[in-house]
Amino acid sequence: MPAGRYAPSPSGDLHVGNLRTALLAWLFARSTGRDFLVRVEDIDRVRPGSAERQLEDLRALGLDWDGEPLLQSTRTDVHVAAIARLAEAGLTYECFCTRREIAEAASAPHAAPGAYPGTCRRLTDDERARRRRERPAAIRLRAGVTTWAVHDVLHGRYEGTVDDFVLRRNDGVPAYNLAVVVDDADQGIDQVVRGDDLLSSAPRQAYLADLLGQTAPEYAHVPLALNADGRRLAKRDGAVTRRELVDLGVDVLTMIAGSLGLSGDSPHEMLEAFDPARLPRDPWVVVPPGAPA
Ligand code: GLU
């Protein structure tokens, strides 16, 4: 069964912008006859208890999902095996760069913005042996392209940078870009709806999917929620989580639906009128109750 998904990182309570993305992911999936899955991306930035609170918030909004949420941290063996397959195909190399070295190299003239400049791709065997004694290596993809195009329901054809991105961090943890691609494919996810801050990551992920013999999903990168200053909505902006808003008497589903031009007492009631072509294309500016004046 083809599926869509919502894949939050359990690093704290979801705010209304996150919940709006979750509602949209649910609407995209259910309106196209897909399953809807939840994956807890708990391999990084985990706050204890946060996953349970996020699931409670999704349920309280009226969202439902198929099967149990998948905990990404249970998938390490599969992630490691995927990296090993790429390594056997000669598609990886060890990288010893510090953040600072990368920042310095990336600011050199002619460097592609935001792209790893490939410093460690060119190490000799002797240099590699020496550097292994200094610090643990990250594993990077030996990318064979510099750009890749994806199809996005809201953005159309989007072509973006592909660099030698990290597959395994130097603390041994599989990197987000690797885990997301492997897990989406294994879960049968063929539709990825998420915030448009991740649009620029989609070409890397779709290229990696291709290398792993998978079909890239259909993407829909939806506008983010911003505060009155035009910055990404955050906890410090006032009452922005479901619990905070409920305490102030706000009906969170109505608030989110209103921002999308939808109405109904439950996500199910919004299904019929849901039409991706009519979604707002601009960010949602949220002025929460209790925002600093
Ligand atoms: N876990 C990521 C986040 O919460 C989202 C990953 C994705 O949707 O691909 O930012």
Side-chain angles (χ1 to χ4, degrees):
M1 181 75 160
R5 47 78 155 178
Y6 184 59
S9 301
S11 56
D13 284 353
L14 299 169
H15 61 54
V16 279
N18 308 132
L19 292 168
R20 185 186 196 239
T21 300
L23 172 64
L24 284 171
W26 186 94
L27 287 167
F28 267 95
R30 296 291 192 217
S31 67
T32 51
R34 287 178 165 87
D35 275 354
F36 183 66
L37 308 179
V38 172
R39 184 172 67 236
V40 176
E41 299 213 316
D42 59 345
I43 56 175
D44 190 18
R45 296 181 295 138
V46 177
R47 178 173 300 186
S50 171
E52 292 71 23
R53 287 170 67 89
Q54 293 185 342
L55 295 175
E56 257 173 57
D57 287 338
L58 297 176
R59 242 180 251 117
L61 213 61
L63 301 181
D64 55 9
W65 48 88
D66 297 285
E68 289 299 311
L70 178 69
L71 298 184
Q72 193 162 54
S73 59
T74 62
R75 305 257 312 148
T76 307
D77 291 355
V78 186
H79 300 151
V80 168
I83 297 168
R85 267 207 287 148
L86 293 164
E88 276 160 30
L91 292 171
T92 65
Y93 62 88
E94 289 169 291
C95 172
F96 304 92
C97 289
T98 61
R99 274 174 208 275
R100 180 141 157 226
E101 284 166 338
I102 295 171
E104 278 167 11
S107 64
H110 312 301
Y116 176 68
T119 320
C120 288
R121 197 192 249 250
R122 296 178 285 271
L123 291 182
T124 63
D125 289 348
D126 282 353
E127 283 168 331
R128 199 174 300 112
R130 180 178 61 75
R131 298 213 59 181
R132 272 192 199 131
R133 290 193 291 271
E134 290 168 0
R135 67 194 310 261
I139 306 284
R140 285 186 182 272
L141 180 70
R142 188 184 290 277
V145 299
T146 53
T147 65
W148 194 257
V150 298
H151 175 72
D152 186 286
V153 176
L154 301 177
H155 296 263
R157 181 179 187 276
Y158 174 83
E159 184 167 341
T161 300
V162 176
D163 63 349
D164 289 352
F165 57 89
V166 172
L167 303 171
R168 198 196 73 189
R169 304 181 338 197
N170 82 344
D171 60 3
V173 177
Y176 156 69
N177 277 319
L178 180 282
V180 78
V181 169
V182 170
D183 291 350
D184 280 345
D186 283 357
Q187 291 190 276
I189 288 160
D190 67 346
Q191 179 190 59
V192 166
V193 179
R194 59 188 179 188
D196 63 13
D197 54 330
L198 287 169
L199 178 60
S200 63
S201 297
R204 289 180 177 85
Q205 295 171 6
Y207 174 62
L208 180 58
D210 190 71
L211 290 179
L212 290 169
Q214 305 160 4
T215 307
E218 163 183 290
Y219 293 101
H221 288 89
V222 301
L224 293 183
L226 304 181
N227 68 15
D229 297 331
R231 274 193 278 272
R232 218 188 269 202
L233 191 68
K235 297 282 158 53
R236 62 179 171 279
D237 291 320
V240 293
T241 67
R242 186 188 61 82
R243 291 156 212 261
E244 290 165 342
L245 288 162
V246 167
D247 283 348
L248 294 170
V250 176
D251 185 316
V252 178
L253 184 63
T254 302
M255 174 182 178
I256 292 171
S259 79
L260 295 167
L262 296 167
S263 60
D265 289 335
S266 71
H268 285 271
E269 287 183 22
M270 296 171 197
L271 268 179
E272 202 160 324
F274 177 67
D275 176 3
R278 294 172 57 181
L279 284 178
R281 301 301 174 103
D282 295 326
W284 179 32
V285 178
V286 181
V287 183

